[in-house]
Amino acid sequence: MSDPKIAENSAPVIETTITRAIIEGFSEKLLNHLSLDVAIVGAGPSALVAARYLAKAGLKAAIFERKLAPGGGTWGGGMLFNEVVVQDASLEILDDFGITHKPIASAPGYNTLDSVEMASGLIYGAVHAGAKIFNSVSVEDIVFRDKQVGGLVINWTPVERLGMHVDPLTVTSRCVLDGTGHPSEIMHLAVEKAQLKLSTPTGGILGEKPMWVDSGEASTVENTQEYYPGLFACGMSANNVMGGYRMGPIFGGMLLSGRKAAQLICARLGV
Ligand code: 48F
């Protein structure tokens, strides 16, 4: 039985203080991001770069990432050897994030870096610039109104994974950026569920081709576009939509794609 004297005198105990602080802090964060300039799906390298530059441009941007750890395919380097390669053209982006790199002596124009430093540096750089990341949140649908894509339908990843019958919530946004990587999940929802015609030769998703590093690196940047009013794609998602080649653990194209996505969205929103 509880001691009535203790109960009468008690200031909030630390256990309650911690719990209250977490609930209030998270609620405030989510409430502040229910209406966004840019809702980004997936926290891979291209989306993290986009998020930093969007936030630096003064736009309210948030990333919704299915996994507990943001970073997408960055962490594992190539076949779990935790190093990646980037081209000189993307070094200014790494420098802006404060991520270190070193030239490959035998291959002028190419550099290596630690994939763990890259993942953690990209995450910190996006958040520190003012973008928010909501992790363990899966995007299961888009909001479509007034003939444009206008937000995301979200739910907790454990709800999705366990197949629980729990209705989702929504965030609205002026633009949506699909950074979901190889599966282009948001583009699939747009084509198959919303029956939208994308600005591709068929109106649909052309599908990723096999490995061809140079071509894939260039096309990842070229294919970073607005594919439907309010709906953009970056990184491997863009390449999959437009039928580009894959490129493996070289990441310059991803970084440049993220920066291009931010520039296109800024132009679209008149920033
Ligand atoms: O695939 P991913 O790292 O995106 P990216 O920026 O980079 C691709 C490279 O990592 C690599 C490559 C480079 O040569 O080929 O693959 O294109 O990250 C995509 C993120 O999106 C999340 C997923 O968990 C991953 O972290 N994601 C995918 N679908 C959803 C999602 C969804 N429906 N809701 C929330 N997050």
Side-chain angles (χ1 to χ4, degrees):
M1 254 182 51
S2 63
D3 180 340
K5 271 181 277 164
I6 295 176
E8 265 168 34
N9 306 334
S10 61
V13 291
I14 185 63
E15 287 82 354
T16 308
T17 303
I18 293 168
T19 303
R20 178 181 290 279
I22 288 172
I23 294 172
E24 286 179 351
F26 182 81
S27 300
E28 188 187 336
K29 220 160 37 181
L30 189 57
L31 285 169
N32 271 335
H33 292 84
L34 289 185
S35 175
L36 294 162
D37 292 314
V38 192
I40 305 173
V41 190
S46 60
L48 288 166
V49 170
R52 175 172 172 85
Y53 292 125
L54 289 165
K56 277 183 129 186
L59 292 171
K60 187 178 268 198
I63 300 181
F64 299 88
E65 164 56 50
R66 175 177 280 140
K67 292 183 186 152
L68 189 55
T74 314
W75 297 100
M79 211 176 123
L80 290 182
F81 298 166
N82 67 357
E83 284 281 313
V84 296
V85 171
V86 296
Q87 308 84 330
D88 281 353
S90 60
L91 293 186
E92 63 179 351
I93 299 176
L94 290 176
D95 291 340
D96 179 49
F97 277 81
I99 297 169
T100 50
H101 45 81
K102 62 169 190 267
I104 305 174
S106 58
Y110 293 90
N111 310 268
T112 50
L113 61 150
D114 181 284
S115 69
V116 175
E117 182 181 347
M118 180 167 162
S120 52
L122 293 178
I123 295 164
Y124 179 77
V127 173
H128 199 62
K132 277 284 172 271
I133 301 178
F134 293 94
N135 55 340
S136 298
V137 173
S138 291
V139 176
E140 60 172 60
D141 209 342
I142 51 175
V143 176
F144 183 69
R145 45 187 297 159
D146 301 329
K147 296 189 181 154
Q148 88 157 42
V149 176
L152 303 174
V153 180
I154 57 172
N155 215 329
W156 297 115
T157 297
V159 167
E160 179 194 59
R161 291 267 159 92
L162 293 170
M164 293 167 76
H165 190 168
V166 178
D167 270 323
L169 294 174
T170 50
V171 291
T172 56
S173 61
R174 297 164 76 197
C175 290
V176 165
L177 176 60
D178 181 339
T180 61
H182 297 265
S184 302
E185 289 198 22
I186 305 309
M187 293 299 177
H188 274 285
L189 286 168
V191 171
E192 285 146 28
K193 191 155 184 205
Q195 315 252 304
L196 306 183
K197 278 210 173 311
L198 307 180
S199 57
T200 65
T202 61
I205 293 168
L206 305 188
E208 186 183 296
K209 296 203 183 83
M211 180 86 87
W212 178 4
V213 173
D214 297 336
S215 173
E217 279 294 283
S219 65
T220 299
V221 185
E222 274 161 37
N223 296 338
T224 298
Q225 292 175 32
E226 183 172 16
Y227 281 98
Y228 192 85
L231 180 59
F232 294 74
C234 62
M236 281 317 296
S237 174
N239 228 16
N240 180 45
V241 170
M242 244 346 188
Y245 288 85
R246 71 180 305 191
M247 75 295 293
I250 179 162
F251 279 77
M254 295 301 136
L255 305 177
L256 293 166
S257 162
R259 187 171 67 180
K260 181 180 172 190
Q263 287 164 345
L264 293 175
I265 293 170
C266 283
R268 173 75 152 82
L269 298 181
V271 176

